[in-house]
Amino acid sequence: MFFYILIFLAILYLWWRWGAQDGQKIRDLTDKYIFITGCDSGFGNLAARTFDKKGFRVLASCLTEAGAAKLKAATSKQLQTVLLDVTDPDNVRKVAEWIKAEVGTAGLWGLVNNAGIMGPSAPTDWLNIEHFRAPIEINLIGLINVTLHLLPLVKKARGRLVNISSTGGRLAVCGGGYFPSKFGVEAFNDSLRRDMKAFGVKVSCIEPGLFKTGLSNRKKIIEEREVIWNQLPPAIRKQYGEGLQRSDRSFMCHLALSA
């Protein structure tokens, strides 16, 4: 008798698991819009192509016309591109209005904040405020501004929002604006997640480690560091020594935590 009860419970469990998985399937993809920033290359480009293949209505923003044209050529007619510089408030506002017109009453089912840069990174006393500014403006301030403009549409769809951070949002190993910007993304994500819970909006944060993207381009890292080194006051260069600039150890932090 006990044996039959176990079989019954096992069948009941398997039936429950099947039902739970079936309930997680996303249905009617053609009326679900996803907006992704930073789709010229890297994670954003891959995400746009992947969601397009699955049948979602993808709205992909690119920084350059060349990036937009290349993405369009590799995807279906359903995917739409738009040019967006997340540091330009007027551009962000206009793109948000365009998205609102596109999604209509359906709202925005998904928002993926992916646009970002590494920016120059080196020992802190090699840098000036401009070296910090661009990564923070793009990776953090731009991300927040895009979110604020599109949040009403995400709430309307009871959708989901994904912020692309980095392992560098948990551990900073170099000077520069990249790591402070990613720590900021983590904090913004935490507060937004709590704020949106009552509205049925899911907020997630992805923390990639080392991937081969434009952000971890070894040649570019070396060139940027050499430009900074060559502009340093003689006293700073003397303190660090000429050999440090050319050693692999001087830029390993980039390759360890690039995302």
Side-chain angles (χ1 to χ4, degrees), residues 4-20:
Y4 291 109
I5 293 175
L6 285 178
I7 292 178
F8 173 75
L9 291 175
I11 293 173
L12 190 65
Y13 173 74
L14 292 173
W15 177 81
W16 175 82
R17 285 291 303 271
W18 176 82

Side-chain angles (χ1 to χ4, degrees), residues 108-186:
L108 188 60
W109 187 84
L111 168 59
V112 181
N113 281 311
N114 168 75
I117 64 168
M118 173 68 77
S121 186
T124 303
D125 54 349
W126 292 21
L127 304 173
N128 58 49
I129 192 62
E130 296 306 319
H131 293 131
F132 287 81
R133 193 179 305 280
I136 293 174
E137 286 286 344
I138 295 171
N139 302 352
L140 179 58
I141 303 301
L143 178 150
I144 293 173
N145 195 27
V146 169
T147 301
L148 294 178
H149 276 80
L150 296 179
L151 204 51
L153 297 177
V154 179
K155 288 169 69 177
K156 176 181 263 189
R158 293 176 67 88
R160 61 272 303 129
L161 196 153
V162 179
N163 293 313
I164 306 300
S165 178
S166 167
T167 52
R170 291 186 176 268
L171 177 66
V173 297
C174 290
Y178 180 79
F179 295 98
S181 74
K182 292 302 184 179
F183 268 73
V185 169
E186 299 278 343

